[in-house]
Amino acid sequence: MSAQQRTTRGPSKAHGLKEHRQKMAERQAKRQDKQKQKQLIEFGVRAAVTIMAVLVVAAGVYVAFFADNVVFIDPKDDVQLKDVFLSGAPWVVGCAEGKSGKAPKVLSESTSLLASRGIRAGVIDCSASLPSGKSTLKRFKLQDIKGSPTIMVVANGKKPIQIMPGYMKTSKLLASFAVAKTKLQRHYPTSNTQFQTLCARKSNCVIVAANRALSSQQEAIINAVADKRRKTSFVHVNPFKAQLNLGLKGTKVKELQQEAEPTLIFLHRATGSNTTQAKVHAGTFPSASEFLKLVDETASNQGLSSLKYAPAIRALRTNEKASSKSKPNPKTTAKTPASKAEPTDSFEDDEMVKERERRLRMEQQDDLIRELDEDMDDGEDLDMEDDEEEVEMM
């Protein structure tokens, strides 16, 4: 073999070996890539299985607490406790049963009935300590009745009312009891004593002074606002039956009797204070959103004037002027029984009494409430200074 042939074949063998090694390296790289892909797929499968397991557990918790529209209330959550027990919103709250912490059966069965009337349902561990250190049972003095679930109704800023076993035999009985105990706060005081309790001593009160029956639209607006601000008391006074003693311009008897539209008087009394702040809205009756704004401004003490003395009302009688001219004979007065038609301390309008039953059934009310829902901010504070209750709870 010549030298030229050896030099030609030599590089050829080396080049072939190089190509062979490159192919082997490429095959090895492909095997490694496949192995990595396999590992990634296995990891993904394991991760998916883990996530599914977590979701199953979460779903179990969801089913336990929310499948029947029953909200779990955390006894350590200040914000949630305030929303349930202090906002004035209507709730039916049951004590959790067993280790699973599920809601009482009769409460779960009544959620659709409650929801149709705007009442929410919740469940809480009544034996757990609240932020105050007391359990729910001790805080609200609930009875632990053997063989019966512990369920309470909360609304209008008042202390919870425990539902007795007789009203928990069926979901309909429970719902009817809850509806009766969560009615809107609209009052018709028949004496100054009632007026003091229902309005003057409250943190926030709205007096609707109307010399005639309210229109259906006005009724619906008041109901809608009262539903949104359940801790504000709403009282109705007929200026032909009662005299308001407020010392404010526009609230004298003759002024109120001559008004074509109802006059709204907003009262605010700060906690621990004996001074009442007030303002008057006369003229055109406000829309639902305007009315709600006036209520909120009153609660935050905006644009109010101090009253010189405590607000009060006094009954007006048809024979008042005549009796003031001539003093009655004490002996004759003692023998003559009081007239039933004109009680000494009563001035309730008969026409207004007849309208009570229909007030909460106004068709326009739901539309106005939805309108207010759209106008209100999501983060709005619904608490209106039930301070003693809040301090003790929190």
Side-chain angles (χ1 to χ4, degrees), residues 178-192:
V179 169
K181 296 299 180 182
T182 57
K183 286 184 177 179
L184 298 176
Q185 293 280 16
R186 293 183 63 179
H187 305 291
Y188 303 80
T190 59
S191 68
N192 184 52

Side-chain angles (χ1 to χ4, degrees), residues 291-307:
F291 201 140
L292 185 65
K293 183 179 179 181
L294 289 169
V295 172
D296 289 344
E297 288 176 349
T298 302
S300 57
N301 200 10
Q302 296 181 30
L304 306 181
S305 302
S306 298
L307 299 182

Side-chain angles (χ1 to χ4, degrees), residues 55-73 94-105 107-109 111 121-124:
L55 291 176
V56 168
V57 173
V61 174
Y62 181 86
V63 170
F65 296 120
F66 301 103
D68 297 315
N69 296 320
V70 180
V71 179
F72 174 71
I73 303 167
C95 291
E97 296 182 337
K99 294 181 180 180
S100 62
K102 63 180 181 179
K105 183 179 179 181
L107 177 58
S108 298
E109 292 174 347
T111 52
V123 60
I124 187 172

Side-chain angles (χ1 to χ4, degrees), residues 55-357:
L55 291 176
V56 168
V57 173
V61 174
Y62 181 86
V63 170
F65 296 120
F66 301 103
D68 297 315
N69 296 320
V70 180
V71 179
F72 174 71
I73 303 167
D74 186 351
K76 298 296 184 183
D77 189 336
D78 284 332
V79 176
Q80 191 180 28
L81 290 171
K82 182 179 179 182
D83 180 59
V84 175
F85 293 104
L86 300 178
S87 70
W91 281 80
V92 175
V93 180
C95 291
E97 296 182 337
K99 294 181 180 180
S100 62
K102 63 180 181 179
K105 183 179 179 181
V106 66
L107 177 58
S108 298
E109 292 174 347
S110 63
T111 52
S112 59
L113 292 173
L114 294 172
S116 67
R117 303 303 293 270
I119 304 172
R120 301 186 68 184
V123 60
I124 187 172
D125 183 354
C126 292
S127 61
S129 296
L130 299 169
S132 63
K134 297 180 180 180
S135 67
T136 303
L137 287 171
K138 291 183 179 180
R139 168 64 181 80
F140 298 119
K141 299 178 181 179
L142 302 175
Q143 300 179 43
D144 189 5
I145 303 175
K146 188 176 180 180
S148 177
T150 303
I151 304 175
M152 60 191 128
V153 177
V154 187
N156 303 324
K158 296 181 179 180
K159 291 182 178 180
I161 301 172
Q162 184 172 357
I163 306 178
M164 292 293 104
Y167 289 99
M168 294 188 290
K169 292 180 179 180
T170 66
S171 58
K172 289 184 179 180
L173 277 175
L174 186 149
S176 62
F177 180 88
V179 169
K181 296 299 180 182
T182 57
K183 286 184 177 179
L184 298 176
Q185 293 280 16
R186 293 183 63 179
H187 305 291
Y188 303 80
T190 59
S191 68
N192 184 52
T193 301
Q194 291 183 5
F195 177 78
Q196 294 298 318
T197 302
L198 299 172
C199 181
R201 294 173 187 167
K202 296 288 185 180
S203 295
N204 299 285
C205 176
V206 178
I207 302 173
V208 181
N211 53 35
R212 66 195 70 183
L214 301 177
S215 68
S216 60
Q217 178 70 7
Q218 291 168 345
E219 289 280 2
I221 289 174
I222 295 174
N223 281 337
V225 175
D227 183 72
K228 290 298 174 188
R229 295 295 179 265
R230 284 177 170 259
K231 292 182 70 176
T232 295
S233 184
F234 290 76
V235 300
H236 295 257
V237 174
N238 186 336
F240 283 103
K241 298 288 185 177
Q243 174 183 337
L244 283 167
N245 296 325
L246 300 175
L248 286 174
K249 184 179 180 180
T251 63
K252 294 182 179 180
V253 173
K254 290 184 179 180
E255 293 174 321
L256 295 175
Q257 289 177 348
Q258 294 172 359
E259 282 289 341
E261 295 284 337
T263 298
L264 304 176
I265 305 161
F266 300 85
L267 304 182
H268 172 72
R269 185 179 183 182
T271 303
S273 174
N274 293 325
T275 304
T276 301
Q277 307 284 329
K279 68 177 175 182
V280 179
H281 177 89
T284 304
F285 199 81
S287 65
S289 58
E290 292 170 343
F291 201 140
L292 185 65
K293 183 179 179 181
L294 289 169
V295 172
D296 289 344
E297 288 176 349
T298 302
S300 57
N301 200 10
Q302 296 181 30
L304 306 181
S305 302
S306 298
L307 299 182
K308 295 181 179 179
Y309 41 81
I313 56 175
R314 181 175 65 87
L316 293 177
R317 304 175 184 83
T318 55
N319 61 345
E320 187 173 0
K321 292 183 179 180
S323 61
S324 63
K325 294 181 179 179
S326 59
K327 295 183 179 180
N329 188 333
K331 295 182 179 179
T332 306
T333 304
K335 293 179 181 179
T336 305
S339 173
K340 292 183 179 180
E342 296 185 14
T344 304
D345 196 22
S346 179
F347 46 86
E348 191 170 18
D349 193 328
D350 292 338
E351 186 178 356
M352 296 172 75
V353 173
K354 294 178 182 178
E355 294 180 358
R356 287 186 188 179
E357 295 300 325

